[in-house]
Amino acid sequence: MWGRVRGWGGLAGGLCRLGAPGSGREAAGVARLEGRACSKIQKLFSTSSVLSTEEDKSAASKDSTTEVASKSQESTAETPKQKLLDIIGNMKVEVSYRKKLQQLKTREIKKQATNKLEGLDSEGTMLQRTTEDIQRGKPLNPELVEAASAVASSLPLNKKQTESELLAQLRRHEETTDKQKKEGISNIRNVISEMAVKRQSSAQRGVRISNRISVDLDEDGQIIKPGRSSRQSFESRRSLKVGRRLNIFTKASTETEKALKTVSSPTIWDLEFAKEIAAITAQPPRNGFEEMIQWTKEGILWEFPIDNEAGMEDDAEFHEHIFLEKHLEGFPKQGPIRHFMELVICGLSKNPYLSVKQKIEHIEWFQKYFEEKKEFLQEI
Amino acid sequence: PCPGQARSYYVDWRMLRDVKRRKLAYEYADERLRINAIRKNTILPKELQEVADKEIAALPRDSCPVRIRNRCVLTSRPRGVRRRWRLSRIVFRHFADHAQMSGIQRAMW
């Protein structure tokens, strides 16, 4: 199953990569328009990272492609109701951008399902929403718009609707990316507060799901309700952003500083007390495992898997081990002593068991020794 | 309350002396190595080597590694000690028969 998904995803991904990055969004539109749902989608949504914009884009395109794949396979088996229930049941908590994507996609999926089977009741509401989206500020990249129109024209279904949906999706995406770019780190608090809000809402998810399920069963003009509830959540998000401040760090930090200042140097009695407590709490080991743990802590037992370089921290590079001639500056340049020292250095450079420090100590000892014997040597 | 034997003394004085020799040998190992490097040499002048001879003879007698004897760790037996286990043959056999030596089995072929 997963293998097939990947294959499909690869093909769709290949198609995506041919065009501009916006073409990934087209594939998303295509996927949605096919109107097939799958529970695996939600798992794909939940895996990717949050705050970086480009990662979101690429991740979203990947998700959409896998969405295509999974949808194309499981459509025939499930009824639309089951699909919708699966989607709702598997929806997970994400940050604002992901949540908006999900909601949009689920809305559109529902719409497509209903469109396929029965009348076109949802179209009116979708168009309303898309017009709202269109009225929002920034104009889209003309290339993306062209690409969207091309995709829409290539598809067999309702072209105007697909185009409008795609453009709405693009616009929303650009909005969120611009937001994130501008606001940056200072917005993390708001993001966190938003996330907190969503966790609360997910706790009440059961209630909402049941509401939605009851709504969907009617299938006639009741679809405005989920839109309403999502609008309410948007509004609540905005109102929370305005009012709330997480004054955690400022106050607590001052308190901890004060607490630290009061502790002075511990007296002998305190040390004795601490030792007593340690002696009492250190019970003899109950079994062999605890004994081994104790021994490892003391250093009696090695740590497994055995590290051959345990206790040996040689941070020196190889050239410090081998090129030891620079330490030979204190010696005369001619004569038997120089010859002897060069042999010593040759031997040390080939020794892997000594650290650089030890090697330097050897050389320095020889230097001292020969200096002491200088007068004696000159007699010879 | 603790399993196994609690030994706070060395088995006998000879073991103690051996312990002292090992400690001193460890301390003087570097010096002995360097002085010997001067002695066992064909490049340096002979007078220097003679001086080095005298110096090394002046070091404490227990600092030479030749005086260390690998005794049995448990009984201090100087002979019949297996180096891998640091035990005399008698102790080794005792433990092996009681299945307290890991990986040791009675040989039969």
Side-chain angles (χ1 to χ4, degrees), chain A residues 9-28:
Chain A
L11 281 174
L15 290 169
C16 283
R17 271 171 236 134
L18 290 172
S23 60
R25 311 244 109 250
E26 300 160 39

Side-chain angles (χ1 to χ4, degrees), chain A residues 53-71:
Chain A
T53 59
E54 286 184 22
E55 282 175 4
D56 273 347
K57 265 192 180 176
S58 60
S61 64
K62 277 179 209 164
D63 291 344
S64 57
T65 54
T66 48
E67 198 183 343
V68 176
S70 45
K71 276 178 186 167

Side-chain angles (χ1 to χ4, degrees), chain A residues 273-286 290 294 297:
Chain A
F273 187 55
K275 279 183 202 170
E276 265 190 59
I277 290 168
I280 291 163
T281 53
Q283 297 295 328
R286 296 177 294 179
E290 291 195 6
Q294 205 176 347
K297 280 182 197 169

Side-chain angles (χ1 to χ4, degrees), chain A residues 28-301:
Chain A
V30 170
R32 260 171 265 123
L33 293 165
E34 289 177 7
R36 293 156 184 173
C38 180
S39 57
K40 310 273 182 183
I41 301 161
Q42 310 310 321
K43 286 179 196 171
L44 296 167
F45 283 155
S46 61
T47 50
S48 53
S49 65
V50 172
L51 286 173
S52 67
T53 59
E54 286 184 22
E55 282 175 4
D56 273 347
K57 265 192 180 176
S58 60
S61 64
K62 277 179 209 164
D63 291 344
S64 57
T65 54
T66 48
E67 198 183 343
V68 176
S70 45
K71 276 178 186 167
S72 60
Q73 290 151 41
E74 297 195 5
S75 58
T76 51
E78 297 174 358
T79 63
K81 282 185 201 176
Q82 280 178 6
K83 288 172 214 164
L84 297 171
L85 293 174
D86 285 339
I87 294 160
I88 295 156
N90 290 328
M91 274 213 287
K92 290 184 187 179
V93 177
E94 293 292 335
V95 193
S96 59
Y97 173 62
R98 290 250 150 262
K99 191 76 179 177
K100 283 180 190 173
L101 250 190
Q102 271 186 29
Q103 286 174 350
L104 188 69
K105 281 176 185 171
T106 52
R107 259 184 269 145
E108 291 174 353
I109 289 160
K110 284 174 217 159
K111 265 134 238 158
Q112 294 317 311
T114 54
N115 284 345
K116 274 201 166 180
L117 296 172
E118 289 152 25
L120 302 168
D121 297 316
S122 59
E123 264 188 324
T125 55
M126 247 326 281
L127 285 170
Q128 285 172 18
R129 233 166 268 122
T130 51
T131 49
E132 284 173 18
D133 295 335
I134 287 158
Q135 285 161 12
R136 287 185 205 170
K138 207 189 167 190
L140 285 174
N141 201 351
E143 290 176 5
L144 297 177
V145 175
E146 283 174 14
S149 58
V151 167
S153 58
S154 68
L155 289 166
L157 295 171
N158 195 349
K159 293 177 189 177
K160 281 183 189 173
Q161 195 180 358
T162 59
E163 216 187 307
S164 60
E165 285 168 16
L166 288 168
L167 291 171
Q169 191 59 38
L170 281 167
R171 234 173 244 107
R172 193 161 290 163
H173 177 74
E174 290 224 16
E175 253 193 44
T176 50
T177 52
D178 287 338
K179 256 192 209 174
Q180 284 172 358
K181 276 176 198 169
K182 283 172 197 171
E183 285 162 9
I185 300 166
S186 60
N187 208 22
I188 284 175
R189 270 196 181 173
N190 288 333
V191 173
I192 292 164
S193 60
E194 279 183 36
M195 284 165 78
V197 169
K198 270 160 211 151
R199 271 169 207 153
Q200 291 172 12
S201 67
S202 74
Q204 301 159 7
R205 206 203 317 173
V207 179
R208 276 214 260 129
I209 287 164
S210 60
N211 290 340
R212 286 194 184 185
I213 290 164
S214 64
V215 162
D216 289 335
L217 290 171
D218 296 346
E219 289 170 342
D220 251 354
Q222 295 288 334
I223 295 161
I224 301 165
K225 272 192 186 175
R228 273 187 201 162
S229 66
S230 66
R231 273 180 209 163
Q232 283 168 7
S233 66
F234 282 130
E235 286 166 4
S236 63
R237 232 180 282 158
R238 281 173 210 158
S239 62
L240 282 167
K241 268 188 203 177
V242 168
R244 212 175 170 188
R245 276 212 70 192
L246 300 169
N247 285 324
I248 303 168
F249 296 107
T250 51
K251 282 181 188 175
S253 60
T254 54
E255 284 170 7
T256 50
E257 280 170 23
K258 284 170 195 171
L260 284 168
K261 280 170 196 170
T262 53
V263 174
S264 57
S265 63
T267 62
I268 298 168
W269 304 116
D270 291 336
L271 291 169
E272 285 291 326
F273 187 55
K275 279 183 202 170
E276 265 190 59
I277 290 168
I280 291 163
T281 53
Q283 297 295 328
R286 296 177 294 179
N287 51 33
F289 291 117
E290 291 195 6
E291 197 183 34
M292 285 208 279
I293 291 166
Q294 205 176 347
W295 283 348
T296 311
K297 280 182 197 169
E298 288 170 26
I300 296 168
L301 195 60

Side-chain angles (χ1 to χ4, degrees), chain B:
Chain B
C2 52
Q5 296 172 347
R7 296 166 174 225
S8 43
Y9 304 107
Y10 288 111
V11 178
D12 54 8
W13 290 91
R14 283 173 288 176
M15 193 188 242
L16 212 168
R17 277 181 270 150
D18 196 58
V19 167
K20 281 188 207 167
R21 281 177 204 132
R22 282 170 194 262
K23 281 186 190 163
L24 273 187
Y26 183 78
E27 279 176 32
Y28 286 92
D30 284 341
E31 273 192 49
R32 288 193 97 95
L33 172 72
R34 290 158 190 162
I35 296 171
N36 269 326
I38 294 172
R39 283 172 66 221
K40 314 283 179 180
N41 225 330
T42 49
I43 306 161
L44 295 173
K46 283 183 190 175
E47 291 82 0
L48 193 64
Q49 288 173 2
E50 284 162 23
V51 169
D53 283 341
K54 287 175 198 169
E55 280 197 6
I56 203 169
L59 289 176
R61 197 166 274 193
D62 273 352
S63 64
C64 59
V66 193
R67 291 186 121 225
I68 296 169
R69 182 79 197 183
N70 291 326
R71 289 178 163 270
C72 170
V73 167
L74 293 179
T75 53
S76 178
R77 198 161 191 276
R79 297 195 175 102
V81 181
R82 296 298 294 176
R83 200 170 211 189
R84 186 173 168 183
W85 296 276
R86 303 179 187 175
L87 292 176
S88 89
R89 55 180 178 82
I90 304 155
V91 179
F92 176 83
R93 194 161 174 274
H94 177 267
F95 283 134
D97 287 341
H98 286 76
Q100 287 163 4
M101 295 295 273
S102 171
I104 301 297
Q105 192 191 20
R106 278 198 158 255
M108 123 171 63
W109 71 96

Side-chain angles (χ1 to χ4, degrees), chain A residues 339-340 343 362 365 369 373, chain B residues 34 37-38 41 43 51 55:
Chain A
H339 189 27
F340 173 74
L343 287 175
H362 276 296
W365 184 91
Y369 184 81
K373 307 291 169 187
Chain B
R34 290 158 190 162
I38 294 172
N41 225 330
I43 306 161
V51 169
E55 280 197 6

